[in-house]
Amino acid sequence: MNFCKDFLACHITYNPFSNKIVIGRCCLKYAYSFAEYNIDEWIAIPNKLAEINKYVNVWNNREGERDLIPGHCDPKLLECYYSGHLDRFNKIEIAIDVACNANCSWCGFTHFANTVRENGLTKKVKELYYNTLNSIIDNADYEIGIRLTDHGEPLIWKKDFIDVLKKCDNNPNIRRVYITTNGFFMVEPDVLQALNNSNKVIIRVSLNALSPNSRKRIMGIDRFDDIIQSIDVLQDKIVELSIVVDSFEELDEIHNLLPEFRKKCLKRINLFPNTQKVEADPSWAVTVANFIEENKNLLWIGLGG
């Protein structure tokens, strides 16, 4: 049994400051890069899955990072992690397009998006993103999972996303498609239908608030009520909600909502202590952590960050 099936991932990201594609490795919260490509050089590569698999031996021959791996991991997982038996990456994480319709007050990727926009590269980065996605899907001749990481909003280019999702559904070698979305475009009929029809998609929704006004205040976007309704439609595909909390009243409200969340078949809620509040009062992070510990019997709650 491969205990690392969902941990062994190749990470493909775009660095807007160097204007390069970076190929790297993520496992057990540890990451480093293997190679960099100029944009035109990367786009010209027809089989990007084969290209990134060239770096598997770099990973298998790694040395010196054992002490950096978290000590609480399952020993069997670590045994597989260090066994060096990988011959191909079986999960591909793609963090290229940073375009987003929200303006979250705590987001660390806002400067990425601003740099892309200011340099007039929005269209080029979109092309880069879907060129990479399509190449990996078209050349997946063995079982892989695809994760569209939360550096931007994956549903912002709706038609392109729907086309890619259909391709994934039609390719038996695509095991799962993991996405993180702020939900704004998820509620639109064509996107909602595509997500609901998919047999591969797994969704994490960054709701980030417990009311329309709070969501508007901290994210600059709304559609709160529509998102709650869409969660009912997609409840067998949505496994996680993320919520930013900055008051005791919100913790109380979350406590009252946990049984309802459980009925909606949610597998996990990630609570993020508001970073601005933590800067003003460092004990707030401890308060949120204590709340999670006290309520872990109601639902699997994690501390985001």
Side-chain angles (χ1 to χ4, degrees):
M1 178 180 179
N2 184 358
F3 290 93
C4 286
K5 191 168 189 178
D6 285 325
F7 287 85
L8 298 170
C10 183
H11 198 73
I12 306 173
T13 191
Y14 168 66
N15 185 334
F17 305 106
S18 65
N19 199 28
K20 289 185 177 182
I21 284 289
V22 180
I23 308 300
R25 189 71 176 76
C26 294
C27 186
L28 304 172
K29 294 189 176 181
Y30 175 65
Y32 59 79
S33 60
F34 300 144
E36 292 185 346
Y37 294 79
N38 293 323
I39 287 183
D40 292 335
E41 177 187 12
W42 178 254
I43 288 178
I45 296 171
N47 187 340
K48 293 175 176 58
L49 188 57
E51 184 70 16
I52 63 177
N53 278 328
K54 292 179 181 178
Y55 301 104
V56 168
N57 285 334
V58 178
W59 175 251
N60 289 336
N61 295 330
R62 70 211 177 281
E63 294 179 356
E65 85 286 0
R66 181 181 292 266
D67 293 338
L68 298 176
I69 304 303
H72 62 270
C73 293
D74 188 316
K76 293 180 179 179
L77 183 64
L78 289 176
E79 180 183 352
C80 177
Y81 174 79
Y82 288 114
S83 67
H85 71 269
L86 265 184
D87 59 351
R88 295 177 295 188
F89 291 115
N90 52 25
K91 187 175 181 182
I92 317 300
E93 299 189 343
I94 302 174
I96 292 177
D97 193 4
V98 293
C100 188
N101 61 308
N103 187 25
C104 300
S105 57
W106 64 90
C107 181
F109 295 105
T110 301
H111 62 299
F112 279 60
N114 290 342
T115 299
V116 169
R117 185 172 55 253
E118 290 166 3
N119 291 335
L121 291 171
T122 301
K123 185 176 179 180
K124 187 73 170 179
V125 172
K126 177 192 173 185
E127 176 192 356
L128 188 66
Y129 181 53
Y130 282 101
N131 172 276
T132 301
L133 261 175
N134 283 302
S135 175
I136 288 172
I137 296 165
D138 292 342
N139 291 287
D141 56 357
Y142 65 96
E143 189 178 89
I144 62 171
I146 294 175
R147 180 170 180 254
L148 309 182
T149 61
D150 49 355
H151 291 191
E153 171 52 49
L155 305 182
I156 196 167
W157 314 113
K158 296 183 296 180
K159 182 182 181 303
D160 302 88
F161 174 82
I162 290 171
D163 290 344
V164 159
L165 187 58
K166 288 178 180 176
K167 289 181 71 171
C168 289
D169 284 329
N170 292 328
N171 186 334
N173 286 320
I174 305 298
R175 182 175 70 250
R176 287 284 186 269
V177 180
Y178 306 83
I179 69 167
T180 297
T181 174
N182 60 44
F184 187 88
F185 299 105
M186 183 178 75
V187 305
E188 298 188 3
D190 52 346
V191 178
L192 189 63
Q193 182 178 2
L195 292 171
N196 198 33
N197 289 343
S198 173
N199 58 0
K200 304 286 181 71
V201 72
I202 300 294
I203 307 169
R204 171 185 173 186
V205 180
S206 297
L207 188 64
N208 291 337
L210 293 170
S211 70
N213 288 338
S214 293
R215 184 172 159 91
K216 182 76 172 177
R217 174 175 57 84
I218 65 176
M219 298 180 69
I221 55 175
D222 190 3
R223 291 191 172 175
F224 181 90
D225 294 330
D226 292 335
I227 293 169
I228 295 299
Q229 291 180 21
S230 69
I231 289 173
D232 288 332
V233 175
L234 299 169
Q235 61 178 268
D236 63 327
K237 305 179 190 300
I238 296 177
V239 296
E240 184 176 316
L241 283 183
S242 294
I243 300 173
V244 175
V245 287
D246 56 11
S247 71
F248 287 100
E249 290 76 15
E250 287 182 338
L251 288 179
D252 288 340
E253 190 171 353
I254 290 171
H255 182 272
N256 294 334
L257 288 171
L258 286 177
E260 185 63 28
F261 285 147
R262 194 172 185 177
K263 289 179 185 177
K264 293 180 183 293
C265 302
L266 288 170
K267 304 295 189 298
R268 180 182 175 93
I269 296 176
N270 256 351
L271 299 185
F272 289 76
N274 189 313
T275 52
Q276 294 168 327
K277 183 176 177 66
V278 170
E279 289 174 1
D281 179 9
S283 67
W284 181 243
V286 178
T287 299
V288 175
N290 289 339
F291 173 86
I292 290 170
E293 180 66 23
E294 292 166 3
N295 291 278
K296 63 183 180 182
N297 62 314
L298 296 177
L299 197 69
W300 184 18
I301 310 178
L303 181 63

